[in-house]
Amino acid sequence: MWCRGFLQQTVRSISTSRQAGVLFDVDGVLLRGGSLIPAARRAFRKLLDRNNNFLFPVVFVTNAGSCQRHHKAQQLSHLLEVQIAPEQVVLSHSPLQMLKAFHDKCVLVSGQGPVTDIANTLGFRKVVSVEQLREHYPLLDMVDHNRRPKLPSSPLQTLPKIEAIILFGEPIRWETNLQLLIDVLLTNGSPGSAYDPQVPAQLPVLACNIDLMWMAEAPSPRFGHGMFLVCLESVYRKMTGRELQYQALLGKPSLLTYQYAEQLLRLQNYNRKLTTIYAIGDNLMTDIYGANLYNRYLGQQHAAVATTTKLVAQGTGSQMTMAVPEEELVSAAAQCRSILVCTGVYNPRSPLPSDRSDAVTESVFHGHRDLKLELDLVEPNHVVEDVEAAVDILLQQESSVTSDL
């Protein structure tokens, strides 16, 4: 159920002439680890009216995925000193609730935090965790000699055959997850069996959050789930000679995530059309790439040049088009403007990709394997110092739009 009363109160001050919405990344834009970036609170004071209502619809779009939406909303509310509803939060796994074709399949979930509960909340009814798999098949996880599980004194209840894999985020023990994921993939969902060199078809894999790195309190970015995916892809390719295929890649920069976020913005705006969406982030390969890809999609959609599938294939690799939500998401905004801040992954001392040679750009491309490197997709509309400066720009832009009406 939507918290309609709160959402209506949140956007009560939005006038018909202000048809903009704002998407905020979290890590590197508002937070560094668990600490608030000082500019964030100042920025949000500028986005509130005298009654503490947002001037524009606001949604927080983060590739984090180790918690539930209401927990992230509580954290942001506390740190920003602004009331944030769970319906204003999009986590990397949020769009999974629309992929209903998988909800009745037995899925293996990898990640950290309450991944089983998260999967259940999203609609998945038969969920097996990596830890459960490890307990049922104690001979599979053999890297850490001190952690080798003991054989159960009595037989455990047989687990159903795994029919799909959901990768929520980077796990804590990479060696355990890599081993058991490969076991499931190479036995077609029956890890207690020997590898089948002639597996007829690869199990569906749904991956959330493809960030190679993310910004915490450390001076330099830390490994993200995208780095774990690099390892999994490499091991799978080494053992099979084939590329690991994904049924869906979710989270930024996937179009499905931005379509879902626009839907939440419109719900705050009484389903009125948004003219401009401002997307503020710190990562060129996810925040900026995704916002620019969505802007391209909006332009082509309005011009009726390409379908969603063609556009996704053109911008992000054909494997990202296979999982289609049963409920149609309507994208009605005219444009999506990308704003890059310098408080997170992006290092302002490094040149933008468009300023580098093609050879250098290709060699340091931090996007996912299935992303196609297109320089215009990693070129932000604006580069600013921090989120307060980003809010200043969007307020200036919208003020000029209003004055022209």
Side-chain angles (χ1 to χ4, degrees), residues 185-244:
L185 286 166
L186 297 191
T187 60
N188 200 30
S190 303
S193 308
Y195 289 170
D196 180 1
Q198 304 296 328
V199 174
Q202 181 202 296
L203 288 177
V205 178
L206 312 175
C208 309
N209 181 6
I210 59 175
D211 280 351
L212 190 73
M213 296 181 289
W214 66 288
M215 201 66 188
E217 292 96 339
S220 299
R222 304 292 86 196
F223 289 170
H225 191 216
M227 197 70 77
F228 178 78
L229 297 181
V230 169
C231 297
L232 179 63
E233 292 158 8
S234 178
V235 173
Y236 185 84
R237 183 173 60 251
K238 191 72 172 179
M239 295 193 67
T240 67
R242 303 185 298 270
E243 295 290 346
L244 180 69

Side-chain angles (χ1 to χ4, degrees), residues 310-353:
K310 290 180 181 176
L311 179 58
V312 175
Q314 178 183 352
T316 56
S318 59
Q319 294 306 319
M320 296 180 71
T321 69
M322 298 175 67
V324 179
E326 293 181 11
E327 54 186 285
E328 184 178 356
L329 292 175
V330 178
S331 301
Q335 62 178 340
C336 182
R337 307 287 291 174
S338 58
I339 305 178
L340 178 67
V341 301
C342 301
T343 50
V345 170
Y346 173 67
N347 185 346
R349 293 186 296 275
S350 300
L352 291 169

Side-chain angles (χ1 to χ4, degrees), residues 153-196:
S153 56
S154 58
L156 297 175
Q157 182 180 358
T158 303
L159 288 178
K161 182 178 179 180
I162 305 297
E163 299 173 281
I165 294 171
I166 302 177
L167 306 174
F168 277 103
E170 60 269 26
I172 295 175
R173 292 188 173 274
W174 287 29
E175 79 283 358
T176 296
N177 284 261
L178 287 170
Q179 178 69 75
L180 270 62
L181 288 169
I182 291 295
D183 288 337
V184 169
L185 286 166
L186 297 191
T187 60
N188 200 30
S190 303
S193 308
Y195 289 170
D196 180 1

Side-chain angles (χ1 to χ4, degrees), residues 8 20 24 27 92-93 105-106 108 138 153 157 171 173 193 203 223 236 257 274 291 332 368:
Q8 289 173 355
F24 285 99
D27 293 304
S92 60
H93 53 65
K105 296 182 181 296
C106 180
L108 174 66
S153 56
Q157 182 180 358
R173 292 188 173 274
S193 308
L203 288 177
F223 289 170
Y236 185 84
T257 294
L274 298 166
H368 185 264

Side-chain angles (χ1 to χ4, degrees), residues 262 294-303 331-336:
E262 183 184 344
Y294 195 52
N295 183 63
R296 175 193 288 178
Y297 165 71
L298 291 172
Q300 293 188 350
Q301 184 194 46
H302 293 314
S331 301
Q335 62 178 340
C336 182

Side-chain angles (χ1 to χ4, degrees), residues 76-129:
L76 292 171
S77 298
H78 172 71
L79 292 172
L80 294 171
E81 298 180 355
V82 178
Q83 187 62 39
I84 307 298
E87 293 80 13
Q88 289 178 277
V89 175
V90 177
L91 301 171
S92 60
H93 53 65
S94 296
L96 282 172
Q97 63 185 308
M98 296 182 294
L99 303 185
K100 297 179 181 179
F102 292 94
H103 287 182
D104 288 326
K105 296 182 181 296
C106 180
V107 296
L108 174 66
V109 294
S110 168
Q112 57 182 287
V115 289
T116 300
D117 291 340
I118 292 171
N120 291 149
T121 300
L122 292 168
F124 295 91
R125 299 174 180 86
K126 294 181 281 186
V127 182
V128 176
S129 69

